[in-house]
């Protein structure tokens, strides 16, 4: 496994860095457990509120739910165990001292998408209708988070010279396939989200349901953006002023952070959310036609 001591020793990591890597991996699993607990609580609520909901009997839906769960959980494992330990004294080392790997948007997004895919799998493959209801309710917001992860990674990290110099080049020089690791963990969530929207969400078919989904998702996403920015600033205050991403060092005044927050809010709620809502609306008519066709051909 990529987190074994021998592997990290081979790429010149110190014992202290390896021990810290193990700590961060455990905390990542804790984050996944917390996300799963939240999803489970949603299922309990749905069990009382929507006991009559039925799943769609379709081999294709079950196949897509299974593939999605395998793909996003694979991305989670690659990110958790394939990402190298932070170098002692570096910004990532300092930024993860207090709240661990959850300082990174990537970790939070993967935990959310993993639990969403898990709830979908339980609903579609195992037939638990309350799990399907919980997954349906969070599908739009989770898709926006997943697509935002991919797009923001490409814009703020992958094509950013400082990030490449600090996070990629040193590990590439040591022989670690770091580019493959970060591409898998940051790009795979996008197609998983699109498959979920296109094949597993009915869209409701009613304008009122679409408007309500848009309203609730916008509120959830705006709250999450504010939460993440607030958590980042609090974490920096507790760890001595260190941030998880190099570009954040450029924000030296409250005005910088305000403008950054507004820009992210506009991108997430004003750009990505409308795209996801449009895809989900189109998927409603597509899935109705396609799955009825499959059912008719199988009879």
């Amino acid at each position: 496994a990529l987190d074994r001591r021998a592997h990290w020793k081979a790429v010149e990591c110190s014992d202290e860095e390896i021990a810290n890597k193990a700590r961060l991996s455990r905390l990542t699993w804790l984050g996944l457990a917390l996300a799963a607990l939240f999803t489970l609580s949603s299922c309990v609520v749905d069990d009382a509120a929507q006991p009559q909901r039925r799943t769609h009997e379709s081999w294709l839906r079950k196949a897509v739910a299974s593939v999605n769960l395998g793909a996003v959980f694979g991305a989670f494992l690659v990110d958790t165990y394939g990402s190298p330990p932070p170098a002692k004294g570096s910004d990532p080392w300092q930024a993860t001292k207090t709240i661990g790997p959850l300082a990174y948007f990537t970790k939070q997004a993967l935990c959310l998408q993993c639990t969403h895919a898990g709830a979908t799998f339980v609903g579609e493959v195992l037939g638990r209708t309350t799990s399907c209801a919980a997954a349906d309710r969070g599908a739009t917001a989770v898709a926006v988070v997943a697509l935002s992860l991919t797009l923001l990674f490409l814009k703020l990290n992958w094509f950013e010279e400082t990030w490449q110099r600090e996070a990629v080049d040193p590990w590439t020089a040591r022989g670690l396939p770091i580019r493959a690791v970060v591409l898998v963990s940051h790009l795979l969530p996008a197609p998983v989200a699109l498959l979920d929207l296109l094949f597993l969400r009915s869209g409701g078919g009613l304008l009122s349901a679409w408007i309500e989904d848009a309203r609730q998702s916008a509120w959830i996403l705006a709250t999450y953006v504010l939460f993440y920015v607030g958590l980042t600033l609090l974490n920096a205050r507790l760890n001595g002023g260190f941030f998880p991403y190099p570009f954040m060092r450029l924000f030296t005044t409250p005005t910088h952070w305000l403008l950054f927050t507004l820009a992210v809010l506009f991108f997430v709620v004003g750009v990505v959310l409308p795209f996801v809502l449009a895809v989900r609306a189109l998927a409603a008519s597509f899935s109705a036609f396609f799955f009825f066709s499959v059912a008719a051909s199988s009879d």
Side-chain angles (χ1 to χ4, degrees):
L2 284 177
D3 67 330
R4 290 178 178 172
R5 294 183 61 85
H7 172 81
W8 298 120
K9 279 287 188 181
V11 291
E12 304 173 13
C13 294
S14 68
D15 290 337
E16 192 172 358
E17 291 169 346
I18 294 172
N20 187 49
K21 168 66 181 176
R23 179 185 72 91
L24 295 178
S25 297
R26 291 192 298 269
L27 289 174
T28 302
W29 282 101
L30 177 61
L32 180 63
L34 291 174
L37 184 62
F38 177 79
T39 302
L40 180 61
S41 68
S42 298
C43 293
V44 171
V45 171
D46 284 326
D47 196 24
Q50 305 180 51
Q52 76 285 358
R53 190 183 186 282
R54 299 186 62 185
T55 57
H56 301 270
E57 292 295 333
S58 166
W59 64 266
L60 183 57
R61 292 177 69 99
K62 294 179 180 180
V64 172
S66 301
V67 169
N68 272 5
L69 177 59
V72 73
F73 190 63
F76 172 85
L77 293 176
V78 167
D79 186 70
T80 301
Y81 295 114
S83 299
K88 184 178 179 179
S90 66
D91 279 27
W93 174 281
Q94 301 292 343
T96 55
K97 284 174 62 176
T98 304
I99 62 173
L102 296 182
Y104 287 92
F105 172 53
T106 302
K107 306 291 186 182
Q108 296 184 20
L110 287 174
C111 287
L112 289 172
Q113 198 176 22
C114 273
T115 56
H116 173 74
T120 301
F121 176 85
V122 170
E124 296 291 345
V125 178
L126 303 184
R128 296 300 300 270
T129 59
T130 54
S131 182
C132 268
D136 278 347
R137 190 171 61 249
T140 298
V142 171
V144 171
V145 169
L147 290 169
S148 297
L149 170 63
T150 297
L151 296 172
L152 290 174
F153 162 74
L154 292 173
K155 171 61 178 176
L156 299 176
N157 291 339
W158 187 254
F159 295 112
E160 207 272 320
E161 184 179 349
T162 303
W163 183 84
Q164 286 281 350
R165 184 175 63 252
E166 295 182 6
V168 175
D169 293 346
W171 294 108
T172 301
R174 299 188 198 185
L176 190 73
I178 185 64
R179 283 187 170 86
V181 170
V182 296
L183 287 175
V184 167
S185 58
H186 291 83
L187 298 190
L188 203 53
V192 168
L194 291 174
L195 285 173
D196 183 82
L197 293 172
L198 289 171
F199 291 97
L200 301 174
R201 307 300 153 201
S202 65
L206 297 176
L207 179 61
S208 59
W210 187 89
I211 293 174
E212 180 62 16
D213 183 32
R215 185 189 67 81
Q216 290 187 356
S217 297
W219 182 86
I220 291 170
L221 291 165
T223 302
Y224 177 67
V225 170
L226 295 176
F227 162 77
Y228 182 76
V229 173
L231 180 66
T232 300
L233 292 172
L234 176 62
N235 184 45
R237 186 175 182 86
L238 295 174
N239 66 35
F242 294 91
F243 298 102
Y245 298 106
F247 72 87
M248 291 180 172
R249 297 179 209 149
L250 300 175
F251 306 152
T252 57
T253 67
T255 301
H256 291 159
W257 281 101
L258 176 61
L259 292 175
F260 170 71
T261 303
L262 292 175
V264 174
L265 280 171
F266 174 77
F267 175 74
V268 171
V269 179
V271 178
V272 183
L273 176 58
F275 170 77
V276 168
L277 289 169
V279 171
R280 191 164 183 178
L282 290 173
S285 56
F286 167 77
S287 60
F289 170 79
F290 184 82
F291 290 119
F292 280 129
S293 299
V294 170
S297 64
S298 61
D299 289 341

